[in-house]
Amino acid sequence: MRTSILAIASLLSIFLLLSIPCATSSNDSVHEAFLQCLYDQSQPSNPISAVLYTPNNSSFSSVLQSYIRNLRFNETTTPKPLLILTALDVSHIQAAIVCAKTHGLQMKVRSGGHDYEGVSYWSDSPFFILDMFNLRSVNVNISDETAWVQSGATLGEVYYGIANKSNTHGFPAGVCPTVGVGGHLSGGGYGNMMRKYGLTVDNIVDAQIIDVNGRVLDRAAMGEDLFWAITGGGGVSFGVVLAYKIKLVVVPSIVTVFTVERTYEQHATDVVYRWQQVADKLDNRIFIRMIIDVVNSTTKTGEKTIRASFLSLFLGDSKTLLSLMNQSFPELGLNQTDCIEMSWAESVLYWTGFASGTPVDILLSRTPQVLTHLKRKSDYLQQPIPKDGLEFIFQKMIELERPVLTFNPYGGRMSEIPASEKPFPHRAGNIAKIQYATNWNEDGVEIANHYVNLTRKLHGYMTPFVSKFPRQAFLNYRDLDIGINHNGPNSFLEGAVYGVKYFLGNYNRLVKVKTKVDPGNFFRNEQSIPVLPSRRK
Ligand code: FDA
């Protein structure tokens, strides 16, 4: 018996010795053939060699890390790309698609790199990154209130481009200026004007995409189904989005912001309870985000307590705001001294946490204010959490200490838009979207697992109080816990697991569009839209 085990073991080691170099050399030869293909496709006027970074290049790591916005995926153990292609021209993207398709390589598309699970810059299978940060033009046309914005632009660059031309126009998108247009606009996008103007995708009028055959298509050429899909269904399942044409919205020259905080001892439970009754029913110019975290108690030394912070944007002056708040939400106790009037562009800085007086051109900076390790999850609140439920959650938050809950109110324009208008389905019937957020500074997989687990635990404690059957989630708050696609024979079934949570009844239409435009499933990632089983190649 012992002899036969030894014989099998030695046979196995011979097999491994033979097979490992084979696998490596086959990877190497695919890599080389892919590189050769890129060179062959290169046009003399736009040489591709100028935008290729392989691991042998001294800038490879810095180019890779420049747009890693979650340090959880900047570990030595994080899988690295075979190369990074920092496209400067459409021909570079076309070459990347044609060659990756020919050589069966996975392409990850990265614009701003803010994906919460880093799916734009790592993968478990061999891959390369198509980096879009060079394609970042923002062309604002105030006369027809539109702008063409390229995918590699940041939201800050878009906001600055608008504010530079008009102090009465804005755009309803996210509150972090370094977020990229490519991921944000293709995945839904929301910000503090959504109660008045809806989501970012509700304000897109045209787009340019490069499809799986390398064709550049605008809205008219791609057709309404594909345009619908890439305005909320995630661009990368369908092609490479080059640019979006957005519709600007009108903002008053003076807006008002405030931040009001209430600790548990200052009756936070009552105010939080009341916020749930009114936040989605207020005048749609008022947006009040509610953030609940754990802080040191100022009354009991050494103890922790709950703090609820109410961060607001009002599209109007402070006098009007106070009058509306006194009628609808007096329990918050808002005072004139809490209110700060400013321009809309300045309110973007206020919401991002910049000190008062910071020049608006800071919006052009691509350096994130905070770079940390993080985990995010999402939920939808459809019924107010009763007071004893709030007490339970607060107790659990104090035990867990680190995860923070952020509630973004819906209602207003969000409730008027039908759920099928865009792939994003979470419209009427939702009081708020909830974000679970845990940040930490320490490197390492073990510590990351610890904090990720804390986030999952809080998500677990919230189960009785949030949407059910399915428990819904927001695509732009990417969360691989809710399902992963291995893009193999079970891809269609695996896709439905997360797809229905992100898209509800719109999921089937997304699968149909995908099957039509990319039947070979070239554009894929851990949570992409799969093709119908009979059409997989
Ligand atoms: P990234 O480049 O990582 O891309 C994200 C996804 O889109 C990936 O799957 C990627 O492949 C794909 N993609 C990117 N460019 C593409 C292109 N040109 N064509 C096709 N596919 C492309 N959200 C929100 O709605 N409101 C908010 O206020 C915020 N705030 C916020 C703050 C911070 C600090 C972070 C880290 C994230 C947010 N988000 C957010 C979430 C954000 O909207 C989401 O992560 C976006 O997908 C990020 O887009 P990027 O281009 O930066 O990411």
Side-chain angles (χ1 to χ4, degrees), residues 109-116 119-120 151 174-176 179-180 182-184 189-190 235-236 239-241 474 476 478 525:
V109 185
R110 178 166 76 168
S111 285
H114 284 65
D115 191 287
Y116 283 137
V119 305
S120 56
S151 286
V175 298
C176 172
V179 165
H184 188 75
Y190 82 91
V236 79
V240 177
V241 179
F474 173 39
N476 265 353
R478 170 103 51 210
N525 68 24

Side-chain angles (χ1 to χ4, degrees), residues 10-226:
S10 60
L11 271 175
L12 260 178
S13 49
I14 291 167
F15 173 76
L16 283 173
L17 274 173
L18 289 172
S19 62
I20 288 171
C22 272
T24 312
S25 64
S26 105
N27 271 348
D28 284 352
S29 62
V30 168
H31 185 188
E32 268 160 34
F34 175 60
L35 260 178
Q36 189 54 50
C37 175
L38 290 175
Y39 288 127
D40 292 347
Q41 294 279 326
S42 182
Q43 296 175 355
S45 52
N46 286 301
I48 213 158
S49 54
V51 294
L52 285 185
Y53 296 84
T54 65
N56 297 333
N57 188 299
S58 59
S59 305
F60 177 80
S61 293
S62 65
V63 173
L64 175 63
Q65 286 165 1
S66 303
Y67 290 92
I68 290 184
R69 298 300 189 231
N70 183 352
L71 296 181
R72 181 155 63 102
F73 301 106
N74 192 32
E75 300 282 352
T76 46
T77 49
T78 310
K80 304 289 183 283
L82 293 172
L83 64 84
I84 307 170
L85 196 161
T86 60
L88 276 169
D89 185 70
V90 168
S91 65
H92 297 153
I93 303 173
Q94 290 166 322
I97 294 173
V98 169
C99 296
K101 221 169 43 168
T102 308
H103 296 284
L105 257 188
Q106 189 180 14
M107 181 170 87
K108 291 284 184 154
V109 185
R110 178 166 76 168
S111 285
H114 284 65
D115 191 287
Y116 283 137
E117 298 279 12
V119 305
S120 56
Y121 53 83
W122 73 268
S123 172
D124 279 331
S125 37
F127 73 105
F128 73 102
I129 298 176
L130 171 65
D131 233 328
M132 299 290 287
F133 65 84
N134 283 321
L135 297 167
R136 58 169 82 165
S137 67
V138 173
N139 289 312
V140 178
N141 185 345
I142 291 295
S143 61
D144 72 355
E145 300 183 308
T146 63
W148 270 106
V149 296
Q150 282 190 312
S151 286
T154 62
L155 296 184
E157 288 162 356
V158 176
Y159 297 153
Y160 182 83
I162 298 168
N164 205 22
K165 292 208 167 163
S166 161
N167 68 347
T168 54
H169 287 88
F171 186 61
V175 298
C176 172
T178 54
V179 165
V181 161
H184 188 75
L185 272 64
S186 62
Y190 82 91
N192 54 18
M193 294 199 286
M194 78 170 144
R195 302 197 60 252
K196 171 78 177 164
Y197 291 115
L199 294 176
T200 310
V201 288
D202 299 325
N203 296 279
I204 297 178
V205 290
D206 205 340
Q208 281 183 333
I209 189 172
I210 305 190
D211 77 358
V212 69
N213 299 312
R215 293 175 307 174
V216 182
L217 308 171
D218 66 4
R219 180 173 180 172
M222 76 180 84
E224 286 306 300
D225 275 341
L226 181 53

Side-chain angles (χ1 to χ4, degrees), residues 1-12:
M1 178 68 177
R2 193 177 134 74
T3 325
S4 61
I5 290 174
L6 282 176
I8 291 169
S10 60
L11 271 175
L12 260 178

